[in-house]
Amino acid sequence: MNKKKISILTILSIELLSLSLFSCGTNNSYSVESIINEAEKLDRKDLFKKAMNELNGKTMYALGNSSRSTTAIEYFINYLKGKSFDNSTKTFVDDLTIQKEFPYYDPNFTGTIEYTQPVNNRIFSFISSDIRSSTHTLSMALVQDGNQIQSKMLNNGYLLNYIPKEWEGDKATNGEPLALQSLNKVFVYNNLGTKKFTNVWDFVANGFSTEFMPLNSEPVGKNFLYMLTREDYASIVKEAYNSYSGDKTTIDETINNVTPLVKKFGLNKNAVYSLAWIKLFVKQFTIEDDDAPIANNLTSIDSKDEAGLLVYSKFRLIKETSDVSNKFVTIAAYQDNYEGFGGYMYKHYLQILKTSPYPWTSCALINFLVTTQYGYSPWGKDYGGYCSNPSSNQDHSNDGGSEYPIKNDRGYDWWTSNTKGKGRLVIEDPVYCSKMSYTIGNWIDTL
């Protein structure tokens, strides 16, 4: 009888301990969410003060997809010390402007932030493992791939959203989840040959192969193809088809072939044109491991009539010679008579883990990155990236002048406009991507 009582007590103790542990996780999640709600009401300087109190003498851990975050974090930590980066000396120096706008600065502040960049698209595994662990290390993340963010992170409540009080962006398009920036991948071709690329169907013409990164190594490319089936973008593809003057034999055969899939996938009627374009593109494109080699190849004097779909900003890395030059390439959508979409746009999102050990600091860092031109400058100094907070952007409309027109960035509003004659980029939407990833994604894999 005593043994039975001891056994029952032991079982009850274990159950109570389990409940206690579960409750701790729930309470921690609730407290992080409460802090985010309070942080959204605070001015930047008061938020930064709370972050300093939380972080001083300690280390916060963050992770993300962009190597430039390391520089931005250095700017942030030194901002809290009243310093800014001096380009002439390559050191951080006292900055009276910062000290005036942030009177709580402390030159003896000792808090640090460690940043890592997981390889092979493992960032979501890192986040999930940390959240499910009994101890939590990671606080915030800068992530890309709207599909996985929605399906693996947001739907499970793993990541929480914070929108700074000073943020002036559009909440509907860039606020939920909060985007640090949008980046574009655009159709570019070598202009030394005779081939013309005046229609988006030219990039999937019979026998033509566009250079592009493999879909499984950079999933934002797959998200682009999902988005292409949405009604607004499918209408653009159809419009381009109607005006296409090239050989449509293979295109029409492909349209007939994919017609049954429209009903199977529950798509709008114009999506048949998108499915045909997707099939031709996936079956024909030339795989390159990264966008930099694509830019290098297209700018070569020996690459006449070749084309690629790649990150626009990669052309900033080209070293001008007699055989390699940005003069040799043209952005397809910059042509007055271009028909169709000019490429696609994906985003870097700033999110806080629901188990963040440093929620005040996470909010403060996000605020610094997205609402100040200085915080965004590691990305904003180059064309092809657009902060979700308009005032944080720099003007790159004349970076190349008349000599290198490809470098003259026409800006976020031009690229995202669906008006004919403008960029008409296919923009990533996490909810739509996650909805279509299983059906369309599996079909794409079979191609």
Side-chain angles (χ1 to χ4, degrees), residues 13 27 92 109 128 167 194 215 221 232 234 334 360:
S13 298
N27 288 336
F92 288 94
F109 177 68
S128 299
W167 188 68
T194 58
L215 295 173
D232 49 346
Y334 278 8
W360 287 113

Side-chain angles (χ1 to χ4, degrees), residues 392-405:
S392 297
N393 287 304
Q394 299 178 34
D395 181 15
H396 295 290
S397 61
N398 197 39
D399 280 16
S402 58
E403 189 173 12
Y404 304 106

